[in-house]
Amino acid sequence: MILWGMGVSQHVHGTDNARCLIALATVTGQIGKPGSGLHPLRGQNNVQGASDAGLIPMMFPNYQSVADQAAHAWFEDFWKTPLDDQPGYTVVEIMHKALAPDSDPHKIRGMYIMGENPAMSDPDLNQARHALASLEHLVVQDIFMTETAWLADVVLPATAWPEKTGTVTNTDRMVQLGLQAIDPPAEAKPDLWIIQQIARRMGLDWDYEGDHDGVAAVYEEMRQAMHATIAGITWERLQRESSVTYPCLSANDPGAPTVFIDRFATGDGRVHLVPADIIPANERPDAGYPFVLITGRQLEHWHTGSMTRRAVVLDALEPMATASLCGADLLALGLTPGDVVTVRSRRGQVAIRVRRDDGTPQGAIFMPFAYYEAAANLMTNAALDPVGKIPEFKYCAVAIRRGGELAAAAGYGAGADCAAPTLAPLVPQKGESLDPP
């Protein structure tokens, strides 16, 4: 069994990395049987479900290309509306289009962002924040005032996981039903209610009937659109069984915990291996920037920290941003754990305290991207994998020097070479509030 995290895919050669793992599993026969196969560890919950449902900009539900004429015609008939046959933009491409000249017919002038925090999670944050601040209109729908929400013209208060009913699908292809456990606070509303209200005000006939703003009716539409995988998983069945694994094509189908037993989803039923080449990183270390920056999560703080840094226990365990270096590099730089350094790339710089971690390779520095006060993505490279369009989060060249040019009152801080919109602090300090001034 091969499991991998975001470190495999977040490179300009990330698609080839995945292709090589697929080839390795295939040629060694480690597929189509229990205890084998390939399992990417997703960055967020329900990434599998979101992808299945068509939240990939070049795909309809069930991974059918928008350029596929048969699939395109089927969905136009299913939804009774004309559909674009051109792939949409990925997140980084959207930011580029927001900064495009007014003469560009595809310039993006407004965004509606749900449950995402690109002002912290996008690469090259100075450009991303500039793009968000340049929009004519930005709407953010979230459960907290994130860094992105502070840049919005309109903020729509959404509900959290235990406050709504719906399904999620994990990387194991298990469709799971989650039931509302508590009432939402104040004026927070379910995402589905908000979306339908906006649609109606735009003149669309979106009126899903039933409990929880018609979530069962929405799921039924998904089931019909994804008939090749979840046709046998009805809402009533999920209410009875709580979870069912797909592919599940009929009411009597128990679901398939293992796939690709007899054939693959290709014209001839065989795997089509794709050759891969050795492709260097877009930006490599040199005399001016001799270290490699690797970014990621840490155990205590998830993604951009918008939830976990509000959890008192978790923030007490990891209250401060740190950069990890191995002992040999600390010695060579004349540093001891706890010293403040400035980490600089060609795009930005951050002042941060160092910690020793001999699991970090020599010549590399690891930084979590959950801390607004030391935002690692100020420095990361927005270069894209040409196939998957995933940015090269996991590799860029940086320089490290003692001292924090931009150290804040706490002894460290964040900054960059060019101006970015000022963002409100994510976590209130003693006596402070997250309410807007």
Side-chain angles (χ1 to χ4, degrees):
M1 185 180 291
I2 300 173
L3 300 101
W4 74 85
M6 299 297 98
V8 164
S9 57
Q10 291 176 350
H11 295 271
V12 292
H13 47 77
T15 300
D16 272 356
N17 290 349
R19 286 169 173 165
C20 288
L21 293 176
I22 292 167
L24 177 62
T26 302
V27 300
T28 57
Q30 298 303 322
I31 199 163
K33 59 186 180 183
S36 69
L38 301 112
H39 301 271
L41 302 176
R42 307 296 195 168
Q44 287 88 9
N45 63 315
N46 202 35
V47 168
Q48 184 73 44
S51 302
D52 293 348
L55 267 75
I56 300 175
M58 64 287 293
M59 297 290 179
F60 289 125
N62 265 8
Y63 307 95
Q64 300 176 78
S65 171
V66 298
D68 182 294
Q69 291 184 355
H72 186 267
W74 191 94
F75 279 100
E76 282 199 333
D77 179 67
F78 180 66
W79 281 322
K80 307 299 181 188
T81 190
L83 299 172
D84 196 340
D85 61 359
Q86 297 300 311
Y89 296 122
T90 58
V91 172
V92 173
E93 291 174 315
I94 287 172
M95 296 303 178
H96 291 163
K97 284 297 182 182
L99 293 172
D102 289 340
S103 58
D104 187 334
H106 298 289
K107 178 180 175 63
I108 290 175
R109 303 177 189 276
M111 287 189 210
Y112 175 19
I113 298 174
M114 290 176 54
E116 190 71 22
N117 191 14
M120 278 289 287
S121 61
D122 269 25
D124 191 1
L125 279 186
N126 287 295
Q127 184 183 45
R129 292 173 177 177
H130 181 200
L132 291 168
S134 299
L135 295 168
E136 293 178 16
H137 195 65
L138 173 61
V139 179
V140 171
Q141 185 169 316
D142 216 317
I143 62 174
F144 292 125
M145 284 297 296
T146 64
E147 287 79 7
T148 305
W150 283 103
L151 296 173
D153 298 287
V154 175
V155 178
L156 303 172
T159 49
W161 169 264
E163 299 162 1
K164 55 191 171 186
T165 291
T167 66
V168 294
T169 305
N170 68 5
T171 193
D172 206 19
R173 307 181 320 283
M174 181 184 289
V175 182
Q176 303 166 79
L177 178 62
L179 299 175
Q180 181 179 346
I182 58 175
D183 292 329
E187 296 183 36
K189 299 291 185 182
D191 296 290
L192 183 52
W193 183 89
I194 297 172
I195 292 168
Q196 289 186 77
Q197 291 295 317
I198 293 175
R200 292 171 192 169
R201 284 160 172 75
M202 294 175 67
L204 299 173
D205 184 21
W206 286 20
D207 189 12
Y208 294 95
E209 297 181 352
D211 296 338
H212 302 287
D213 305 296
V215 66
V218 173
Y219 177 81
E220 175 59 24
E221 182 178 320
M222 291 172 59
R223 190 178 71 86
Q224 293 178 41
M226 300 158 64
H227 56 271
T229 53
I230 65 170
I233 310 177
T234 63
W235 186 261
E236 291 72 25
R237 183 172 178 179
L238 284 174
Q239 289 179 309
R240 291 195 311 270
E241 302 179 27
S242 295
S243 65
V244 183
T245 299
Y246 75 76
C248 177
L249 304 183
S250 69
N252 298 322
D253 188 342
T258 304
V259 290
F260 309 132
I261 298 173
D262 300 314
R263 60 179 286 117
F264 294 87
T266 59
D268 58 7
R270 292 174 174 268
V271 171
H272 297 171
L273 298 180
V274 180
D277 203 350
I278 297 176
I279 301 171
N282 178 263
E283 181 179 272
R284 309 184 76 178
D286 55 25
Y289 298 90
F291 281 83
V292 172
L293 171 65
I294 304 170
T295 67
R297 298 177 176 89
Q298 58 188 156
L299 177 63
E300 295 79 7
H301 290 309
W302 180 75
H303 208 56
T304 64
S306 58
M307 291 186 287
T308 54
R309 293 200 68 197
R310 287 179 165 85
V312 175
V313 172
L314 295 176
D315 203 55
L317 290 171
E318 284 288 352
M320 181 185 297
T322 58
S324 298
L325 290 161
C326 68
D329 282 337
L330 286 174
L331 184 64
L333 292 167
L335 300 170
T336 58
D339 285 348
V340 175
V341 297
T342 297
V343 184
R344 176 194 292 271
S345 78
R346 291 175 173 85
R347 289 156 294 280
Q349 64 184 27
V350 165
I352 191 169
R353 294 190 184 275
V354 295
R355 75 197 304 169
R356 177 173 177 171
D357 179 1
D358 290 329
T360 304
Q362 194 165 355
I365 179 170
F366 172 82
M367 286 179 58
F369 62 94
Y371 297 85
Y372 73 90
E373 65 272 31
N377 280 322
L378 285 165
M379 298 176 288
T380 49
N381 190 355
L384 298 177
D385 177 317
V387 180
K389 303 295 180 70
I390 297 173
E392 193 156 53
F393 282 113
K394 295 296 189 273
Y395 201 107
C396 76
V398 296
I400 304 170
R401 62 176 175 276
R402 176 189 291 276
E405 295 178 351
L406 304 154
Y412 66 106
D417 295 326
C418 56
T422 301
L423 301 180
L426 176 67
V427 181
Q429 305 301 313
K430 183 178 293 186
E432 293 182 344
S433 168
L434 278 179
D435 294 331

